[in-house]
Amino acid sequence: MQAQELRRAWTDFWTARQHTDVPSAGLIPLHPSAPMFTNSGMMPFVPYFIGEEPVPYRPPRASSIQTCVRAGGKHNDLDAIGRSPRHLSFFEMLGNFSFGDYFKADAIRWAWEFSTEVLGLDADRIWVTCHVDDDEAAELWVDEVGFPAERIQRLGKDNFWEMGDTGPCGPSSELFWDFGAEHGPDGGPANPAAENRYVEYWNLVFQQYFRLGDGSLKPLETRNIDTGAGLERILGVTIGSPDVFQTDELRSLVAAAEQATGVRLGTASESDVALKLLADHARTMTFLVTDGVVPSNEDRGYVLRRIIRRAIRFAYLLGVEKPITPRLSEHVVGLMGEAYPQLVASADTVQAVLGREEEQFRRTLRSGLTILDAALAEVPEGAPLDGTVAFTLHDTYGFPLDLTQDALRQRGISVDTDGFTAAMERQKAEARANWAGSGEAATETVWFAVRDRVGPTEFLGYETEAAEGVVTALVGNGSEIASAEAGDSVAVVVNQTPFYGESGGQVGDTGSIRGEGFEIAVTDTQKKGDGVFVHLGKVVSGRVAVGAPVELKVDSRRRAMIRANHSATHLVHEALREVLGTHVAQKGSLVAPDRLRFDFSHPKPIAAEELERIERLANEVVRQNEKVTTRLMAVDDAIAEGAMALFGEKYGDEVRVVRMGTALHGDKAGRPYSVELCGGTHVGATGDIGLVRVVSEGAVAAGVRRIEALTGEAALEHLDEQERRLKAVASALKVSPAEAVTRLEAVLEERRRLERELAEARRKLALGGAAAASEDGAAAGESVNGVGFLGKVVAGIPPKELKSLADAGKTSLGSGVVVFVGTAEDGKASVVVGVTDDLTARFSAVDLVRLASAAIGGQGGGGRPDMAQAGGPDGAHAAEAIAAVRSALG
Ligand code: SER
């Protein structure tokens, strides 16, 4: 069967069964819950599945042939393209849909009818899978169409289809074609080793649930049908080839690639990969640009750019020097324009866009070649190119070794690959040495071996928090292991991951890794050995082995808090520079879920009003709630545009530039508020930060200050706590919070007044007591050899009040010497001696206080001739101190 024939048969079959034939929607999905690209036939119908909009078809049934792209997010087949016989980044999905109308029985019966009667497939070579919990579907296969129970297999997550991280989902039943024993072992689709033999060609999904952002499932109002059959795979089945590149349209595209490159399919396995990749990517780029995506450094545009550049790189390696993408695109239009008339309408624009992109990328490739040429001038006749030069090209300019070799092959020059490998080893050894020097355990070198074997991990966490992958290495107790069991602590490496590995101050993600029969709780993620993401955790159930397919899920609540704190760090950084000056430079940071910490250069403490302004500016940008944008650019361009970079930090040749908000004040008004080079994860829009609250400011080293701040919920909790405290203070003061400060000031003033009064009362009491004593004829207020004398032991008077007592005593005597010894509860004593001015020529208070001090076990004392003070440990001898002074007058 040919593509156009199958399309017609499909539409006719369903129209005869009261299905409205709905034309393919674009590749940019409209529904807010949808992923980046339309990845299946059901996507345009999401509003009907979830009851958001009334179904416009009578009866509520539809069929379609929908263009799909799987090149990012949950359904991403990009890496398999060209190497897998059946994966495509662009394909057409045949689908029939019921919105609360017919359900499993009809869906199964009609799928069978179409397979056996329209396609004419041999019933004995079809296999079926159903979800483990869906007995109903399995029974219907037997009852409705007499399908043999022994060819029905039951699977777990493979029989549960989901549109994306959120959105409609449900159990499914899949139809498989057995391509025969020459393609793999027996055992049916449940045997993973037989995946090239039993190939899925149709998926019947029983859409019954909606996956919410928190991961839970909500039942839908209606029970729906969503089936999807890959057009290319069915064609493969009808022509008896599991290789979809043998089907008519793709074969024709491969032929176009053969023509453009001058290389034939079957020449070598690497060039076969390139030809198939060109055939696939040609359709993907043509349809994406037709549907309005343009190559750029963001979102969809970035995925498109990667697809175009990948195609060009592969073509370049096959020796293609002239632009190839517009030419392939033209071929796509010729081939598919009848089925998709929009291709014809926009063909010129699409080819122009592709041409421009290719020209630009070829310039990058050429600049690599210019550097190569300069290096070649130094190479003696007949000698190979120095391996270190090839390594620098690869390492610094992103110009791969195979491109270098290829460029030189044409000039008959070889590359010293041993030198290249040696240079690479040297760099790794240096990294290792730096690592060892950083105090990491020597066992950590195991990660370099892992890195050498499995390569760096692809990080998906900017776009998604859940993804699928395959375990590529396990490490336990410092060495590689083949498997780990429940209870074991383990470090897990997966080929790709949404988990952020700790770096740039941002802590690593936590979450779970699940596979068939096992689960691992991830408590931290670290980057090791130059690009390997290591999930650290514990096997909580089952047994995990290297090679196991897994589903990785980041703890998204925690990640959301981390994102808010990271974005807030950028805002605080910029606000600090705005308020304190541009000398503020980042010295360190910590971005954790519960708080953020930022260290920066600044010579003195931040005043309270400055801190308030900093907080205010940051929150102003939070409230702008503008989208946070990230772009990949060349380092130099980014810095030229004013992006803040960390001095001494090593950046790759491409950097991520994160922009936030719009400046409202000063010279920068109207320009982005914060622009930083950053590899971290950030909020979608600044409003997601909620609130920024600085909670502390202090010094960490000379000239380096530290700010700690909270965001969102944590900031709110902090404010609540502050408010609770204020209320408690107000209630203790018995006033409203608004009156608390005035009341507290009044209370403090009252306290000062009382202290003054208390001191005065004590003084009066002491003097009064002294006067009374003198009346009694005791040793006070007497005349000793014609010198007036007042001496008194006073208990419980603090030393600072003794002086004013002495002053008062001098005044009341008029002329004479006074001595007061104050005794404290702990047994110590202090003594003050005062001499009126007329007598200072005869007696020095300093000499007298020494005598007194000696009596109470003290040493010396000090002051002036008219007033001196001392202390001693021995309050019990207070009376002797007075006597000592008295006798000195004699
Ligand atoms: N949505 C399901 C799939 O893409 C069936 O259409 O496989």
Side-chain angles (χ1 to χ4, degrees):
M1 217 180 215
Q2 297 220 329
Q4 197 54 352
E5 203 182 325
L6 176 55
R7 291 189 191 107
R8 231 171 277 128
W10 182 259
T11 310
D12 291 348
F13 183 83
W14 295 106
T15 312
R17 286 161 186 76
Q18 287 88 48
H19 286 63
T20 302
D21 168 36
V22 179
S24 175
L27 287 167
I28 305 180
L30 297 176
H31 198 269
S33 72
M36 188 180 263
F37 298 117
T38 301
N39 64 22
S40 68
M42 55 78 70
M43 209 164 279
F45 302 114
V46 170
Y48 313 143
F49 283 127
I50 66 180
E52 245 175 25
E53 281 175 35
V55 182
Y57 322 117
R58 283 292 156 265
R61 303 174 180 181
S63 67
S64 69
I65 302 170
Q66 174 65 47
T67 55
C68 297
V69 164
R70 292 192 173 175
K74 189 176 175 68
H75 297 279
N76 182 0
D77 294 335
L78 213 48
D79 289 334
I81 312 300
R83 303 186 189 277
S84 152
R86 61 183 174 279
H87 284 95
L88 296 165
S89 68
F90 171 93
F91 63 95
E92 293 169 83
M93 190 175 268
L94 309 170
N96 59 288
F97 308 92
S98 152
F99 312 103
D101 188 33
Y102 65 85
F103 201 45
K104 293 180 189 175
D106 288 322
I108 287 173
R109 196 163 44 78
W110 284 331
W112 185 249
E113 228 174 282
F114 189 84
S115 297
T116 53
E117 287 165 29
V118 180
L119 298 176
L121 301 183
D122 176 356
D124 294 340
R125 291 175 68 179
I126 296 174
W127 286 69
V128 160
T129 61
C130 295
H131 191 261
V132 273
D133 298 332
D134 193 359
D135 293 338
E136 188 190 4
E139 280 158 21
L140 284 169
W141 273 107
V142 177
D143 298 346
E144 288 287 320
V145 304
F147 195 84
E150 63 276 13
R151 286 210 311 277
I152 301 178
Q153 294 181 319
R154 310 288 289 269
L155 298 175
K157 67 181 170 54
D158 284 342
N159 276 118
F160 195 92
W161 195 86
E162 311 202 30
M163 176 177 78
D165 292 337
T166 58
C169 55
S172 70
S173 177
E174 297 185 330
L175 288 87
F176 288 76
W177 178 251
D178 178 1
F179 276 101
E182 67 272 33
H183 294 282
D186 294 342
N191 178 6
E195 59 169 3
N196 290 329
R197 170 170 170 184
Y198 304 96
V199 173
E200 179 219 333
Y201 70 90
W202 201 341
N203 187 13
L204 317 182
V205 182
F206 313 123
Q207 298 281 8
Q208 278 168 278
Y209 303 105
F210 191 91
R211 175 78 71 188
L212 294 164
D214 63 6
S216 62
L217 289 177
K218 185 184 91 179
L220 295 173
E221 297 276 304
T222 52
R223 302 194 306 168
N224 313 292
I225 290 295
D226 151 31
T227 90
L231 176 117
E232 298 79 357
R233 286 199 192 174
I234 292 201
L235 288 176
V237 169
T238 64
I239 63 168
S241 166
D243 179 2
V244 292
F245 292 97
Q246 297 300 330
T247 61
D248 61 312
E249 288 182 350
L250 280 166
R251 184 67 193 92
S252 161
L253 276 162
V254 170
E258 287 175 324
Q259 211 175 20
T261 59
V263 179
R264 307 221 22 112
L265 194 69
T267 311
S269 63
E270 270 316 296
S271 55
D272 281 2
V273 169
L275 292 172
K276 290 177 178 180
L277 181 137
L278 286 169
D280 169 83
H281 284 21
R283 297 205 300 181
T284 317
M285 61 181 89
T286 303
F287 274 85
L288 281 177
V289 182
T290 300
D291 285 348
V293 185
V294 284
S296 75
N297 285 329
E298 277 170 272
D299 302 333
R300 297 186 179 97
Y302 181 61
V303 176
L304 171 62
R305 173 161 281 170
R306 273 181 61 190
I307 289 170
I308 299 173
R309 293 190 166 189
R310 216 149 154 248
I312 297 167
R313 220 160 62 74
F314 274 83
Y316 196 89
L317 283 178
L318 292 184
V320 178
E321 305 228 345
K322 287 198 303 265
I324 186 172
T325 53
R327 201 167 147 190
L328 291 177
S329 176
E330 195 181 342
H331 193 83
V332 172
V333 178
L335 208 56
M336 302 180 74
E338 188 188 332
Y340 299 96
Q342 67 268 35
L343 290 181
V344 182
S346 52
D348 291 346
T349 320
V350 173
Q351 283 157 38
V353 167
L354 294 178
R356 254 200 318 276
E357 180 66 16
E358 179 154 0
E359 206 177 291
Q360 196 184 331
F361 183 56
R362 281 182 183 267
R363 264 204 301 277
T364 309
L365 286 177
R366 268 199 298 278
S367 65
L369 288 176
T370 311
I371 295 162
L372 184 59
D373 276 341
L376 281 180
E378 316 272 304
V379 177
E381 188 74 42
L385 176 74
D386 190 340
T388 52
V389 175
F391 180 70
T392 309
L393 274 168
H394 154 86
D395 194 46
T396 316
Y397 301 97
F399 201 80
L401 175 65
D402 51 6
L403 274 188
T404 304
Q405 283 174 313
D406 204 67
L408 295 187
R409 196 170 299 129
Q410 292 157 10
R411 308 186 208 180
I413 302 172
S414 65
V415 178
D416 162 26
T417 47
D418 290 346
F420 179 91
T421 317
M424 187 176 266
E425 285 306 323
R426 254 197 317 280
Q427 197 200 41
K428 280 186 195 152
E430 256 167 51
R432 261 185 214 125
N434 289 343
W435 194 319
S438 75
E440 295 271 0
T443 53
E444 297 280 314
T445 48
V446 66
W447 296 115
F448 286 96
V450 171
R451 163 74 166 77
D452 288 351
R453 199 183 71 244
V454 306
T457 313
E458 189 178 352
F459 178 58
L460 310 172
Y462 295 130
E463 290 126 34
T464 179
E465 288 174 8
E468 288 163 9
V470 174
V471 175
T472 52
L474 293 169
V475 170
N477 286 330
S479 36
E480 286 203 62
I481 50 179
S483 68
E485 314 213 328
D488 293 350
S489 291
V490 70
V492 186
V493 181
V494 181
N495 62 331
Q496 51 179 15
T497 183
F499 282 69
Y500 187 83
E502 178 176 329
S503 55
Q506 182 177 329
V507 299
D509 277 330
T510 64
S512 70
I513 298 180
R514 286 197 184 89
E516 208 66 51
F518 65 86
E519 179 173 354
I520 300 159
V522 178
T523 49
D524 191 12
T525 308
Q526 294 283 328
K527 284 206 254 181
K528 305 270 187 191
D530 205 11
V532 179
F533 283 59
V534 181
H535 307 83
L536 300 165
K538 201 172 193 141
V539 184
V540 289
S541 64
R543 181 175 158 279
V544 55
V546 174
V550 287
E551 222 170 317
L552 304 106
K553 235 180 195 136
V554 174
D555 176 341
S556 51
R557 204 180 107 79
R558 182 173 176 277
R559 165 73 90 74
M561 296 195 285
I562 294 173
R563 276 194 273 130
N565 282 341
H566 203 154
S567 300
T569 305
H570 286 206
L571 296 182
V572 167
H573 185 183
E574 187 55 40
L576 283 165
R577 290 166 63 90
E578 189 172 341
V579 173
L580 304 178
T582 49
H583 63 275
V584 167
Q586 174 165 352
K587 293 287 174 200
S589 77
L590 170 74
V591 178
D594 57 336
R595 68 187 195 288
L596 68 92
R597 195 173 76 198
F598 188 73
D599 296 346
F600 56 98
S601 47
H602 185 59
K604 54 176 195 274
I606 307 178
E609 327 70 82
E610 288 172 330
L611 217 48
E612 236 171 68
R613 266 180 65 212
I614 288 160
E615 224 177 52
R616 229 160 246 286
L617 287 168
N619 281 303
E620 202 169 73
V621 181
V622 169
R623 286 191 307 273
Q624 287 175 348
N625 196 22
E626 283 172 20
K627 211 174 149 212
V628 173
T629 66
T630 51
R631 276 178 62 193
L632 286 175
M633 20 193 338
V635 187
D636 297 348
D637 292 349
I639 292 171
E641 279 195 21
M644 275 193 281
L646 289 190
F647 184 74
E649 187 87 337
K650 194 173 172 292
Y651 293 103
D653 46 337
E654 267 198 334
V655 289
R656 253 174 120 243
V657 179
V658 179
R659 286 190 174 73
M660 260 172 245
T662 305
L664 299 175
H665 320 275
D667 311 340
K668 281 193 1 181
R671 298 225 299 275
Y673 186 71
S674 154
V675 184
E676 278 195 46
L677 301 192
C678 177
T681 59
H682 287 276
V683 294
T686 55
D688 297 348
I689 296 171
L691 177 71
V692 183
R693 185 77 185 165
V694 176
V695 290
S696 78
E697 189 275 335
V700 271
V704 180
R705 312 290 305 175
R706 167 172 294 177
I707 265 194
E708 287 195 303
L710 306 174
T711 64
E713 177 114 14
L716 218 52
E717 256 161 34
H718 177 77
L719 287 177
D720 283 348
E721 178 58 31
Q722 301 286 86
E723 191 174 349
R724 273 195 293 277
R725 285 190 191 140
L726 173 61
K727 282 186 177 148
V729 168
S731 112
L733 291 169
K734 302 205 167 32
V735 289
S736 71
E739 294 158 328
V741 172
T742 323
R743 180 82 190 105
L744 188 59
E745 275 168 356
V747 168
L748 289 175
E749 181 50 44
E750 174 76 3
R751 186 188 139 131
R752 276 192 290 275
R753 193 178 60 75
L754 288 174
E755 272 172 356
R756 275 198 305 273
E757 278 181 21
L758 184 62
E760 178 65 10
R762 281 204 198 101
R763 195 170 61 84
K764 280 199 181 128
L765 194 67
L767 284 179
S774 83
E775 267 160 28
D776 288 343
E782 59 191 309
S783 169
V784 179
N785 292 333
V787 179
F789 179 69
L790 178 63
K792 176 95 181 126
V793 179
V794 286
I797 302 233
K800 68 175 190 241
E801 282 181 30
L802 286 179
K803 260 183 171 168
S804 65
L805 266 183
D807 274 334
K810 282 191 333 190
T811 313
S812 83
L813 278 184
S815 168
V817 172
V818 296
V819 52
F820 285 100
V821 184
T823 53
E825 265 177 23
D826 60 3
K828 290 183 188 154
S830 23
V831 53
V832 175
V833 174
V835 178
T836 52
D837 288 343
D838 57 321
L839 296 177
T840 50
R842 287 173 62 194
F843 309 106
S844 164
V846 179
D847 296 338
L848 295 176
V849 90
R850 267 190 205 131
L851 298 171
S853 150
I856 52 172
Q859 290 174 355
R864 299 184 320 241
D866 61 336
M867 179 78 74
Q869 200 164 7
D874 203 356
H877 295 122
E880 284 147 63
I882 293 174
V885 176
R886 190 178 186 277
S887 42
L889 305 181

